[in-house]
């Protein structure tokens, strides 16, 4: 029986995509419950993993794995957007599994869930502004923009207005208080997706600057990967997947400034080449066992030498 609180998504596909090498060094930028990290360490007894998580509770819970795999696992509390600073060596693979873990979502005290009441926090790490700080202080237009941009919520203006009106009576403190205000202006039928879902997603992305982190993480990976090193990224919604897709499109596009005196092979040197064209998704079987995998997409690319 799998006792891990977080079921790793697309695990086999991720591990296969990494083509784990003897003696290789791999960065797991989103350690979580260590599902990917363990599978990498188990795949080949001579590899090392440097794993990062911005959540210190994930790092504390991972100390047993550090002991179990000593000295092959290094766990770092930090953000993968700072990968280049955190990792001082060139590596054979970087894997990112974007978003929140089941441990974070399932603990009401972390403030991600509108199904269980908890403080309106939503920080994956332990610093910075909470979701309550934002809904209590940003003006109506700023809130509407956040809800629209990061939640892709058509009714962002209506919700932002309801939030700013409600906070005049009492500032928001809990997830339920916010969910109730949204439910009042946007009731949903039983069986439909909860009308607070998109607003909660938007606030979570904003609070953690998730899209900015992803952009910085991809650039960082490009810097620390050796030639032939692999970048594999799992995303869970279109905003994230678009960033990875665009990054890889640019990083694999033939050089615009073609020098007619250089042979074509050199002209087409790009930082990456795609491992496969279309993103991989979870099988029906995986989706049945783990519904969270339904929206997952894996993209993977190989770092290549650029001849100047
Ligand atoms: C989806 S879970 C990863 C699960 C992991 N692959 C596993 O198999 O257990 C995402 C984890 O990444 C962490 N995280 C998210 N964004 C991060 C960032 N920018 N830097 C470091 N860690 C981050 C979260 O705190 C969370 O623990």
């Amino acid at each position: 029986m799998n006792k891990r609180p977080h079921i790793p998504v697309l695990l086999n596909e991720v591990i296969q995509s990494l083509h784990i090498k003897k003696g290789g060094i791999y960065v797991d930028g989103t350690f979580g419950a260590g599902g990917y990290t363990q599978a990498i360490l188990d795949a080949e007894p001579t590899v090392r993993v440097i794993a990062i998580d911005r959540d210190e509770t994930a790092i504390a819970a991972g100390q047993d794995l550090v002991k179990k795999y000593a000295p092959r696992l290094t766990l770092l509390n930090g953000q993968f957007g700072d990968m280049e600073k955190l990792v001082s060596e060139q590596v054979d693979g970087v894997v990112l599994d974007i978003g929140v873990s089941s441990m974070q979502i399932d603990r009401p005290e972390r403030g991600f869930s509108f199904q269980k009441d908890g403080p309106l926090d939503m920080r994956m790490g332990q610093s910075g502004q909470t979701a309550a700080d934002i809904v209590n202080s940003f003006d109506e237009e700023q809130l509407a923009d956040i809800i629209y941009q990061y939640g892709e919520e058509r009714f962002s203006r209506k919700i932002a207005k309801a939030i700013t009106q409600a906070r005049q009576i009492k500032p928001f403190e809990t997830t339920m208080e916010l969910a109730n205000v949204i439910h009042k202006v946007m009731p949903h039928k039983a069986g439909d997706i909860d009308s607070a879902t998109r607003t909660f997603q938007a606030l979570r992305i904003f609070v953690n600057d998730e899209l900015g982190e992803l952009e910085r993480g991809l650039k960082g990976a490009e810097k620390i990967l050796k030639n032939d090193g692999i970048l594999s990224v799992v995303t869970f919604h279109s905003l994230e997947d678009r960033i990875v897709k665009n990054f890889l499109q640019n990083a694999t596009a033939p050089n615009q400034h073609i020098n007619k005196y250089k042979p074509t092979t050199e002209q087409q040197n790009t930082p990456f080449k795609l491992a496969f064209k279309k993103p991989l998704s979870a099988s029906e079987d995986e989706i049945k066992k783990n519904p969270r995998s339904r929206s997952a997409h894996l993209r993977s690319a190989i770092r290549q030498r650029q001849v100047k």
Side-chain angles (χ1 to χ4, degrees):
M1 228 332 243
N2 188 352
K3 278 204 202 145
R4 269 203 298 265
H6 177 98
I7 308 171
V9 169
L10 289 170
L11 181 63
N12 292 335
E13 291 82 351
V14 165
I15 299 304
Q16 270 177 25
S17 73
L18 290 173
H19 294 283
I20 293 172
K21 278 187 186 158
K22 276 199 170 72
I25 308 168
Y26 293 85
V27 169
D28 178 354
T30 49
F31 175 74
Y36 290 179
T37 286
Q38 281 198 80
I40 297 169
L41 290 164
D42 289 341
E44 169 51 59
T46 57
V47 301
R48 280 198 286 132
V49 172
I50 302 164
I52 304 168
D53 204 295
R54 69 194 296 179
D55 185 349
E56 54 191 41
T57 65
I59 300 295
Q63 293 311 314
D64 287 346
L65 290 185
V66 174
K67 279 188 211 128
K68 176 176 170 193
Y69 289 98
R72 297 198 293 135
L73 171 59
T74 307
L75 256 187
L76 304 173
N77 187 201
Q79 295 178 208
F80 63 65
D82 298 327
M83 198 181 307
E84 209 188 332
K85 281 188 228 139
L86 293 170
V87 180
S88 56
E89 47 201 328
Q90 294 294 106
V91 302
D92 298 280
V94 171
V95 62
L96 299 174
D97 180 15
I98 303 304
V100 274
S101 66
S102 306
M103 293 79 74
Q104 291 166 329
I105 286 277
D106 293 345
R107 287 198 188 125
E109 70 272 21
R110 300 302 298 268
F112 289 104
S113 171
F114 48 81
Q115 269 140 13
K116 296 172 204 143
D117 205 11
L120 189 55
D121 190 321
M122 298 197 195
R123 291 170 306 167
M124 289 187 206
Q126 278 69 28
S127 60
Q129 285 190 307
T130 65
D133 293 334
I134 286 151
V135 295
N136 289 327
S137 67
F138 280 33
D139 68 33
E140 191 178 319
E141 204 178 320
Q142 286 173 311
L143 287 174
D145 285 348
I146 291 171
I147 297 168
Y148 182 72
Q149 207 181 332
Y150 302 125
E152 300 184 291
E153 169 61 86
R154 281 192 297 145
F155 301 104
S156 56
R157 298 202 176 281
K158 197 170 169 185
I159 295 170
K161 188 169 187 185
I163 290 175
T164 50
Q165 280 172 350
R167 77 186 185 199
Q168 282 170 4
I169 302 164
K170 180 190 167 299
F172 289 95
E173 286 175 37
T174 71
T175 54
M176 279 305 193
E177 286 168 0
L178 178 61
N180 288 341
V181 165
I182 300 169
H183 292 157
K184 227 182 256 166
V185 289
M186 281 185 50
H188 58 266
K189 289 189 230 105
D192 278 0
I193 165 173
D194 192 299
S195 55
T197 307
R198 290 172 186 278
T199 302
F200 270 66
Q201 172 190 303
L203 285 169
R204 192 202 90 195
I205 291 176
F206 184 79
V207 163
N208 296 290
D209 185 20
E210 289 180 43
L211 304 184
E213 267 298 297
L214 180 53
E215 278 173 3
R216 288 187 288 278
L218 295 171
K219 285 187 193 138
E222 181 177 331
K223 292 268 163 52
I224 67 166
L225 277 169
K226 293 178 189 166
N227 294 327
D228 295 330
I230 312 273
L231 169 65
S232 291
V233 187
V234 177
T235 59
F236 289 87
H237 56 73
S238 55
L239 293 172
E240 296 164 346
D241 186 52
R242 203 176 304 149
I243 289 176
V244 182
K245 185 176 158 192
N246 288 344
F247 172 82
L248 291 178
Q249 238 159 26
N250 287 332
T252 55
N255 193 342
Q256 300 295 309
H257 311 287
I258 291 178
N259 178 344
K260 64 180 178 183
Y261 300 109
K262 282 194 175 176
T264 323
T265 48
E266 283 188 25
Q267 287 162 10
Q268 298 204 337
N269 271 327
T270 55
F272 283 99
K273 69 173 183 263
L274 291 181
F276 38 84
K277 231 179 179 165
K278 289 223 166 113
L280 299 185
S281 317
S283 63
E284 285 303 317
D285 194 39
E286 177 169 3
I287 295 170
K288 237 183 262 159
K289 288 185 193 137
N290 183 12
R292 219 176 68 82
S293 65
R294 182 179 297 282
S295 50
H297 281 121
L298 166 66
R299 292 186 188 268
S300 184
I302 304 151
R303 185 80 173 90
Q304 54 181 5
R305 185 195 301 274
Q306 282 174 277
V307 182
K308 295 267 151 60

